[in-house]
Amino acid sequence: MSSTEKPYRVACIPGDGIGVDITDAAIQVLNKLAEAAGNFKFDFVHFDWSSKNFKERGWYMPEDGMEQLKKHDAIYFGAVGWP
């Protein structure tokens, strides 16, 4: 990878329950893929916007959440839902 190439910035919102497990596993796979290809990489930025936290704080994402997400090339969303 050349020093002038930017990594793909991915907003990662694991969510709750199995979403967290799936997201962690997928990130490992995507990083291995980037390593094997050798010509790109990922920069994952994690956001803790889960149903569990919604119940505790009263909001999923902050008021500027959409603005935060716009700074990324992609959004990887796990799953939300909490008993």
Side-chain angles (χ1 to χ4, degrees), residues 18-80:
I18 196 162
V20 175
D21 297 330
I22 291 169
T23 303
D24 287 345
I27 287 172
Q28 290 178 33
V29 170
L30 290 169
N31 282 331
K32 284 291 185 190
L33 173 66
E35 182 182 323
N39 58 352
F40 65 93
K41 68 179 184 175
F42 296 103
D43 177 17
F44 292 97
V45 179
H46 296 269
F47 294 88
D48 194 10
W49 300 343
S50 63
S51 293
K52 178 183 178 201
N53 285 332
F54 170 79
K55 192 170 184 178
E56 293 172 5
R57 63 186 175 217
W59 51 270
Y60 272 103
M61 61 190 234
E63 287 185 28
D64 70 338
M66 291 303 291
E67 290 304 312
Q68 291 182 48
L69 294 176
K70 288 179 184 179
K71 298 175 185 175
H72 298 82
D73 300 306
I75 301 169
Y76 182 41
F77 182 71
V80 293

